[in-house]
Amino acid sequence: MLQSFTIRTTKRDEMVDITSFVEQTVRQAGVREGFAIVYCPHTTAGITINENADPDVKRDMIRRFDETYPWEHPLDRHMEGNTAAHMKASTVGASQHVIITHGKLLLGTWQGIYFCEYDGPRQRTFYVKVVEG
């Protein structure tokens, strides 16, 4: 089963918890054992799994990415001016795989799945593919 989702981000850099969208897709697919692939088709956004209990984790991650990849750098040549967004997206990656067991995502107690926006605000799409096996 392949499901497409559209979200609207509200900030230049933002981590949006999409765990419920992935769980919904797993329920609809009715798969008891298998895996879910969460994929982002954008070059300035990504998908990660990280802590979903303390909102400071998201803030800290965004701040540290900004420190590592500053938005403006005198040597950047990309004419759109969003080289930092491309760097952040490449670091995070475009997808995550999550095991499904007993019909549920196998995530740690504090884990959530996040759509990571690095060039917003924008309307974005991500995909969830559920595979039985």
Side-chain angles (χ1 to χ4, degrees):
M1 172 178 204
L2 177 66
Q3 183 75 33
S4 171
F5 295 95
T6 301
I7 59 173
R8 170 139 316 264
T9 60
T10 61
K11 300 173 187 157
R12 186 187 76 195
D13 294 88
E14 180 177 6
M15 293 176 67
V16 180
D17 188 342
I18 59 170
T19 309
S20 63
F21 295 99
V22 182
E23 290 171 335
Q24 169 190 328
T25 305
V26 170
R27 278 192 306 275
Q28 288 176 347
V31 170
R32 302 283 303 148
E33 301 293 329
F35 58 92
I37 302 168
V38 186
Y39 172 71
C40 169
H42 305 288
T43 61
T44 57
I47 304 292
T48 195
I49 296 174
N50 214 302
E51 182 175 330
N52 67 354
D54 182 352
D56 285 337
V57 171
K58 295 189 298 186
R59 284 191 283 275
D60 290 348
M61 287 182 65
I62 290 168
R63 178 182 48 79
R64 295 293 293 272
F65 272 134
D66 280 342
E67 290 171 1
T68 303
Y69 305 118
W71 192 254
E72 294 182 18
H73 190 286
L75 299 178
D76 287 348
R77 298 186 55 140
H78 182 49
M79 64 185 261
E80 289 182 27
N82 61 356
T83 297
H86 290 280
M87 298 296 295
K88 293 171 188 179
S90 290
T91 299
V92 167
S95 67
Q96 292 288 323
H97 291 70
V98 183
I99 295 169
I100 300 167
T101 188
H102 306 294
K104 297 192 181 295
L105 296 172
L106 184 61
L107 291 170
T109 302
W110 308 112
Q111 286 184 318
I113 306 167
Y114 289 93
F115 183 94
C116 300
E117 174 65 75
Y118 298 119
D119 195 20
R122 293 183 185 234
Q123 181 171 303
R124 297 292 199 164
T125 302
F126 67 92
Y127 296 92
V128 179
K129 175 77 172 176
V130 176
V131 179
E132 191 168 16

